[in-house]
Amino acid sequence: MPYEPPTHTVERSLRATTGAKIIAGVDEVGRGAWAGPVTVCAAVTGLRRPPVGLTDSKLLTIKRRTELAEELRTWVTSHALGHASPEEIDAMGMTAALRLAAVRALEALPVRPDAVILDGKHDYLGAPWKVRTVIKGDQSCVAVAAASVLAKVQRDKMMAELGIEHADFGFADNAGYPSPVHKAALAERGPTPHHRLSWAYLDALPQWRHLKKVRSWMDGSVPEIEGQLGFDF
């Protein structure tokens, strides 16, 4: 299906209105997975013409996404990746884990960005970062699209490597997201050391429910479930 290529419109706007010179596009992958880290990429691209076919990683075939990531690694001005582990996700919740992974990525860049274009409608970064959120930024903004592809390819590679010791779960194919193979293995064998144990999927597995981790919510709030996929997915 044809799609509009991403542009530098948002970056040009930020440069004009805030004086920012170095602007990073930020995107995440793995938010809704049952296993593995959540991964965030921060990419700085400048205003150069992007590689042909650049768009949201989810719209690309595996082959094209992998080829494009290889091209992007030398095309971008700079990029860095940050991860939050399943243990960190269980301990602090997804929003805080996303921020942790994003800060790790941003702080690993060779030069601190003056502003950040963040994919989506929620600013999970906050101060002191100057953030512009853009819904579907991974389709419309060059730097965010580049971050989307780089994050997806790297996390998929990580999950395939983790899956070597857990072949029954099919991590190389499902990247830790629910799939028939993943769900069947989980029901039979229980969670691996790479699974998120505070996730709601364990509620549907009576034989493994005792492993579920429940965080204490001292402020009276309720656990966040945004992005979690139920076992009947």
Side-chain angles (χ1 to χ4, degrees):
M1 181 180 294
Y3 50 81
E4 290 293 323
T7 69
H8 295 295
T9 300
V10 176
E11 185 167 340
R12 291 182 189 279
S13 172
L14 281 170
R15 286 170 177 258
T17 58
T18 69
K21 295 182 179 179
I22 300 174
I23 300 172
V26 170
D27 198 17
E28 56 78 21
V29 63
R31 184 195 299 248
W34 290 356
V38 63
T39 296
V40 174
C41 180
V44 178
T45 65
L47 300 177
R48 292 172 297 149
R49 184 187 300 273
V52 175
L54 178 63
T55 187
D56 173 13
S57 63
K58 297 185 291 296
L59 301 179
L60 299 168
T61 65
I62 295 175
K63 180 176 184 295
R64 181 56 186 140
R65 190 165 60 225
T66 303
E67 293 171 346
L68 196 53
E70 189 64 29
E71 184 176 357
L72 286 169
R73 288 188 186 100
T74 56
W75 177 82
V76 298
T77 303
S78 62
H79 79 284
L81 291 134
H83 312 278
S85 69
E87 293 81 6
E88 289 170 328
I89 294 169
D90 288 335
M92 63 180 63
M94 181 51 74
T95 299
L98 276 171
R99 185 178 194 280
L100 179 64
V103 169
R104 285 170 172 166
L106 288 164
E107 291 185 343
L109 290 171
V111 180
R112 184 183 177 93
D114 302 313
V116 173
I117 304 173
L118 188 63
D119 182 53
K121 64 180 179 180
H122 299 296
D123 177 7
Y124 55 76
L125 259 174
W129 304 96
K130 296 179 180 178
V131 177
R132 173 78 60 86
T133 58
V134 179
I135 296 173
K136 293 188 177 179
D138 48 11
Q139 295 181 37
S140 61
C141 300
V142 170
V144 180
S148 169
V149 172
L150 290 165
K152 173 66 174 167
V153 170
Q154 180 60 30
R155 187 179 182 278
D156 282 358
K157 180 182 178 182
M158 291 173 62
M159 292 307 298
E161 292 171 352
L162 292 179
I164 293 173
E165 295 183 2
H166 305 281
D168 291 349
F169 289 82
F171 288 162
D173 296 318
N174 59 50
Y177 284 84
S179 70
V181 168
H182 187 174
K183 290 189 282 187
L186 192 57
E188 179 180 352
R189 298 179 178 275
T192 70
H194 310 297
H195 276 85
R196 303 169 187 180
L197 299 182
S198 59
W199 246 226
Y201 69 83
L202 279 172
D203 294 335
L205 298 170
Q207 68 274 46
W208 307 110
R209 196 179 297 157
H210 65 285
L211 297 175
K212 187 172 182 180
K213 294 183 178 179
V214 179
R215 294 188 299 276
S216 297
W217 299 83
M218 303 302 293
D219 60 358
S221 62
V222 296
E224 55 187 320
I225 60 172
E226 179 187 359
Q228 293 192 34
L229 301 173
F231 202 79
D232 58 353
F233 174 78

Tab-separated table of all heavy atoms in Angstrom, residues 171-204:
chain	number	residue	atom	x	y	z
A	171	PHE	N	10.709	-16.995	20.001
A	171	PHE	CA	11.063	-15.574	20.115
A	171	PHE	C	11.642	-15.002	18.821
A	171	PHE	O	11.492	-13.808	18.548
A	171	PHE	CB	12.070	-15.366	21.245
A	171	PHE	CG	11.499	-15.513	22.629
A	171	PHE	CD1	12.339	-15.722	23.724
A	171	PHE	CD2	10.140	-15.433	22.848
A	171	PHE	CE1	11.833	-15.846	25.004
A	171	PHE	CE2	9.610	-15.562	24.131
A	171	PHE	CZ	10.455	-15.772	25.207
A	172	ALA	N	12.306	-15.846	18.020
A	172	ALA	CA	12.887	-15.341	16.774
A	172	ALA	C	11.808	-14.880	15.806
A	172	ALA	O	12.052	-14.023	14.951
A	172	ALA	CB	13.747	-16.417	16.120
A	173	ASP	N	10.607	-15.448	15.932
A	173	ASP	CA	9.507	-15.093	15.037
A	173	ASP	C	8.548	-14.082	15.651
A	173	ASP	O	8.022	-13.215	14.952
A	173	ASP	CB	8.726	-16.346	14.641
A	173	ASP	CG	9.572	-17.326	13.841
A	173	ASP	OD1	10.320	-16.868	12.964
A	173	ASP	OD2	9.487	-18.533	14.104
A	174	ASN	N	8.303	-14.201	16.972
A	174	ASN	CA	7.279	-13.330	17.585
A	174	ASN	C	7.856	-12.192	18.419
A	174	ASN	O	7.110	-11.338	18.909
A	174	ASN	CB	6.311	-14.153	18.436
A	174	ASN	CG	7.009	-14.921	19.560
A	174	ASN	OD1	7.787	-14.366	20.320
A	174	ASN	ND2	6.715	-16.218	19.676
A	175	ALA	N	9.186	-12.180	18.610
A	175	ALA	CA	9.879	-11.107	19.349
A	175	ALA	C	9.316	-10.897	20.745
A	175	ALA	O	9.388	-9.799	21.298
A	175	ALA	CB	9.825	-9.799	18.558
A	176	GLY	N	8.748	-11.962	21.333
A	176	GLY	CA	8.226	-11.854	22.692
A	176	GLY	C	6.776	-11.438	22.765
A	176	GLY	O	6.192	-11.378	23.853
A	177	TYR	N	6.154	-11.156	21.627
A	177	TYR	CA	4.734	-10.832	21.588
A	177	TYR	C	3.913	-12.120	21.578
A	177	TYR	O	4.423	-13.183	21.223
A	177	TYR	CB	4.411	-10.003	20.337
A	177	TYR	CG	4.836	-8.565	20.436
A	177	TYR	CD1	6.140	-8.187	20.128
A	177	TYR	CD2	3.951	-7.577	20.848
A	177	TYR	CE1	6.546	-6.864	20.229
A	177	TYR	CE2	4.346	-6.251	20.945
A	177	TYR	CZ	5.645	-5.901	20.636
A	177	TYR	OH	6.039	-4.599	20.737
A	178	PRO	N	2.639	-12.050	21.963
A	178	PRO	CA	1.822	-13.260	21.974
A	178	PRO	C	1.607	-13.805	20.570
A	178	PRO	O	1.297	-13.064	19.645
A	178	PRO	CB	0.499	-12.793	22.599
A	178	PRO	CG	0.472	-11.319	22.411
A	178	PRO	CD	1.895	-10.874	22.481
A	179	SER	N	1.788	-15.095	20.434
A	179	SER	CA	1.520	-15.817	19.198
A	179	SER	C	1.059	-17.206	19.632
A	179	SER	O	1.261	-17.592	20.792
A	179	SER	CB	2.777	-15.921	18.335
A	179	SER	OG	3.720	-16.796	18.940
A	180	PRO	N	0.445	-17.994	18.767
A	180	PRO	CA	0.023	-19.338	19.175
A	180	PRO	C	1.169	-20.174	19.743
A	180	PRO	O	0.998	-20.867	20.755
A	180	PRO	CB	-0.530	-19.932	17.871
A	180	PRO	CG	-1.048	-18.744	17.117
A	180	PRO	CD	-0.068	-17.645	17.413
A	181	VAL	N	2.329	-20.116	19.100
A	181	VAL	CA	3.485	-20.880	19.588
A	181	VAL	C	3.914	-20.380	20.964
A	181	VAL	O	4.170	-21.180	21.881
A	181	VAL	CB	4.657	-20.759	18.585
A	181	VAL	CG1	5.957	-21.293	19.199
A	181	VAL	CG2	4.326	-21.515	17.308
A	182	HIS	N	3.995	-19.078	21.121
A	182	HIS	CA	4.406	-18.476	22.391
A	182	HIS	C	3.435	-18.857	23.501
A	182	HIS	O	3.840	-19.282	24.599
A	182	HIS	CB	4.481	-16.963	22.215
A	182	HIS	CG	5.047	-16.241	23.401
A	182	HIS	ND1	5.314	-14.894	23.387
A	182	HIS	CD2	5.404	-16.665	24.650
A	182	HIS	CE1	5.801	-14.526	24.559
A	182	HIS	NE2	5.854	-15.577	25.340
A	183	LYS	N	2.132	-18.723	23.235
A	183	LYS	CA	1.126	-19.004	24.262
A	183	LYS	C	1.105	-20.478	24.648
A	183	LYS	O	0.947	-20.810	25.829
A	183	LYS	CB	-0.245	-18.544	23.780
A	183	LYS	CG	-0.367	-17.025	23.724
A	183	LYS	CD	-1.792	-16.568	23.467
A	183	LYS	CE	-2.183	-16.702	22.032
A	183	LYS	NZ	-3.510	-16.095	21.750
A	184	ALA	N	1.279	-21.361	23.669
A	184	ALA	CA	1.289	-22.795	23.966
A	184	ALA	C	2.488	-23.159	24.843
A	184	ALA	O	2.359	-23.922	25.817
A	184	ALA	CB	1.318	-23.593	22.668
A	185	ALA	N	3.653	-22.612	24.519
A	185	ALA	CA	4.852	-22.893	25.310
A	185	ALA	C	4.719	-22.317	26.717
A	185	ALA	O	5.138	-22.937	27.702
A	185	ALA	CB	6.082	-22.322	24.615
A	186	LEU	N	4.131	-21.135	26.816
A	186	LEU	CA	3.972	-20.495	28.114
A	186	LEU	C	3.045	-21.303	29.007
A	186	LEU	O	3.309	-21.492	30.205
A	186	LEU	CB	3.428	-19.080	27.909
A	186	LEU	CG	3.433	-18.116	29.090
A	186	LEU	CD1	4.841	-17.942	29.644
A	186	LEU	CD2	2.880	-16.776	28.650
A	187	ALA	N	1.947	-21.797	28.442
A	187	ALA	CA	0.999	-22.581	29.221
A	187	ALA	C	1.626	-23.890	29.704
A	187	ALA	O	1.367	-24.344	30.822
A	187	ALA	CB	-0.245	-22.877	28.381
A	188	GLU	N	2.484	-24.484	28.866
A	188	GLU	CA	3.082	-25.776	29.220
A	188	GLU	C	4.299	-25.631	30.126
A	188	GLU	O	4.453	-26.391	31.099
A	188	GLU	CB	3.495	-26.510	27.943
A	188	GLU	CG	4.160	-27.856	28.210
A	188	GLU	CD	4.577	-28.575	26.941
A	188	GLU	OE1	4.209	-28.106	25.840
A	188	GLU	OE2	5.276	-29.609	27.053
A	189	ARG	N	5.156	-24.661	29.840
A	189	ARG	CA	6.444	-24.574	30.520
A	189	ARG	C	6.544	-23.441	31.538
A	189	ARG	O	7.465	-23.413	32.337
A	189	ARG	CB	7.567	-24.421	29.487
A	189	ARG	CG	7.680	-25.592	28.532
A	189	ARG	CD	8.795	-25.374	27.532
A	189	ARG	NE	8.960	-26.501	26.646
A	189	ARG	CZ	9.691	-27.582	26.927
A	189	ARG	NH1	10.309	-27.657	28.086
A	189	ARG	NH2	9.789	-28.566	26.065
A	190	GLY	N	5.624	-22.494	31.458
A	190	GLY	CA	5.702	-21.352	32.354
A	190	GLY	C	6.654	-20.305	31.823
A	190	GLY	O	7.349	-20.516	30.820
A	191	PRO	N	6.707	-19.145	32.465
A	191	PRO	CA	7.536	-18.048	31.975
A	191	PRO	C	9.031	-18.334	32.067
A	191	PRO	O	9.486	-19.032	32.972
A	191	PRO	CB	7.144	-16.870	32.869
A	191	PRO	CG	6.561	-17.490	34.094
A	191	PRO	CD	5.922	-18.768	33.664
A	192	THR	N	9.756	-17.791	31.117
A	192	THR	CA	11.215	-17.874	31.114
A	192	THR	C	11.768	-16.719	31.967
A	192	THR	O	11.019	-15.837	32.395
A	192	THR	CB	11.764	-17.728	29.684
A	192	THR	OG1	11.570	-16.369	29.261
A	192	THR	CG2	11.061	-18.667	28.713
A	193	PRO	N	13.069	-16.681	32.193
A	193	PRO	CA	13.663	-15.534	32.904
A	193	PRO	C	13.503	-14.216	32.155
A	193	PRO	O	13.777	-13.148	32.726
A	193	PRO	CB	15.137	-15.924	33.027
A	193	PRO	CG	15.156	-17.408	32.942
A	193	PRO	CD	14.056	-17.758	31.982
A	194	HIS	N	13.066	-14.283	30.900
A	194	HIS	CA	12.936	-13.071	30.094
A	194	HIS	C	11.499	-12.542	30.052
A	194	HIS	O	11.238	-11.535	29.395
A	194	HIS	CB	13.423	-13.345	28.670
A	194	HIS	CG	14.762	-13.987	28.612
A	194	HIS	ND1	15.901	-13.364	29.090
A	194	HIS	CD2	15.150	-15.215	28.182
A	194	HIS	CE1	16.939	-14.175	28.940
A	194	HIS	NE2	16.511	-15.299	28.386
A	195	HIS	N	10.583	-13.190	30.748
A	195	HIS	CA	9.191	-12.751	30.738
A	195	HIS	C	8.927	-11.665	31.779
A	195	HIS	O	9.598	-11.592	32.815
A	195	HIS	CB	8.249	-13.931	30.993
A	195	HIS	CG	7.939	-14.719	29.762
A	195	HIS	ND1	8.749	-15.731	29.299
A	195	HIS	CD2	6.904	-14.620	28.876
A	195	HIS	CE1	8.230	-16.233	28.196
A	195	HIS	NE2	7.120	-15.573	27.911
A	196	ARG	N	7.941	-10.834	31.471
A	196	ARG	CA	7.482	-9.805	32.402
A	196	ARG	C	6.454	-10.440	33.332
A	196	ARG	O	5.391	-10.881	32.891
A	196	ARG	CB	6.881	-8.639	31.627
A	196	ARG	CG	7.870	-8.059	30.622
A	196	ARG	CD	7.214	-7.088	29.664
A	196	ARG	NE	8.160	-6.673	28.622
A	196	ARG	CZ	7.867	-5.830	27.645
A	196	ARG	NH1	6.644	-5.318	27.551
A	196	ARG	NH2	8.774	-5.508	26.749
A	197	LEU	N	6.769	-10.489	34.595
A	197	LEU	CA	5.942	-11.235	35.545
A	197	LEU	C	4.857	-10.401	36.208
A	197	LEU	O	4.091	-10.921	37.015
A	197	LEU	CB	6.834	-11.882	36.609
A	197	LEU	CG	7.855	-12.888	36.067
A	197	LEU	CD1	8.659	-13.497	37.208
A	197	LEU	CD2	7.168	-13.984	35.249
A	198	SER	N	4.767	-9.130	35.871
A	198	SER	CA	3.656	-8.318	36.387
A	198	SER	C	2.555	-8.190	35.341
A	198	SER	O	1.541	-7.541	35.589
A	198	SER	CB	4.161	-6.915	36.757
A	198	SER	OG	4.725	-6.263	35.626
A	199	TRP	N	2.746	-8.831	34.194
A	199	TRP	CA	1.808	-8.689	33.078
A	199	TRP	C	0.521	-9.499	33.296
A	199	TRP	O	0.522	-10.555	33.929
A	199	TRP	CB	2.493	-9.132	31.796
A	199	TRP	CG	2.722	-8.050	30.778
A	199	TRP	CD1	2.465	-8.144	29.444
A	199	TRP	CD2	3.237	-6.736	30.971
A	199	TRP	NE1	2.796	-6.970	28.808
A	199	TRP	CE2	3.269	-6.090	29.720
A	199	TRP	CE3	3.673	-6.028	32.095
A	199	TRP	CZ2	3.715	-4.774	29.563
A	199	TRP	CZ3	4.118	-4.733	31.943
A	199	TRP	CH2	4.133	-4.127	30.690
A	200	ALA	N	-0.566	-9.024	32.705
A	200	ALA	CA	-1.892	-9.602	32.943
A	200	ALA	C	-2.061	-10.994	32.348
A	200	ALA	O	-2.983	-11.711	32.745
A	200	ALA	CB	-2.964	-8.667	32.378
A	201	TYR	N	-1.214	-11.399	31.411
A	201	TYR	CA	-1.382	-12.716	30.798
A	201	TYR	C	-1.320	-13.839	31.835
A	201	TYR	O	-1.919	-14.900	31.659
A	201	TYR	CB	-0.341	-12.949	29.692
A	201	TYR	CG	1.074	-13.094	30.188
A	201	TYR	CD1	1.565	-14.308	30.666
A	201	TYR	CD2	1.944	-12.002	30.193
A	201	TYR	CE1	2.860	-14.432	31.137
A	201	TYR	CE2	3.243	-12.126	30.655
A	201	TYR	CZ	3.692	-13.330	31.126
A	201	TYR	OH	4.975	-13.454	31.601
A	202	LEU	N	-0.589	-13.622	32.934
A	202	LEU	CA	-0.461	-14.667	33.959
A	202	LEU	C	-1.787	-14.943	34.668
A	202	LEU	O	-1.965	-16.020	35.233
A	202	LEU	CB	0.613	-14.273	34.977
A	202	LEU	CG	2.064	-14.539	34.555
A	202	LEU	CD1	3.023	-13.936	35.553
A	202	LEU	CD2	2.317	-16.027	34.394
A	203	ASP	N	-2.716	-13.993	34.618
A	203	ASP	CA	-4.019	-14.200	35.244
A	203	ASP	C	-4.770	-15.343	34.592
A	203	ASP	O	-5.638	-15.964	35.222
A	203	ASP	CB	-4.866	-12.924	35.169
A	203	ASP	CG	-4.276	-11.791	35.993
A	203	ASP	OD1	-3.536	-12.086	36.959
A	203	ASP	OD2	-4.541	-10.617	35.673
A	204	ALA	N	-4.483	-15.637	33.323
A	204	ALA	CA	-5.174	-16.700	32.590
A	204	ALA	C	-4.437	-18.032	32.652
A	204	ALA	O	-4.823	-18.982	31.974
A	204	ALA	CB	-5.360	-16.277	31.132
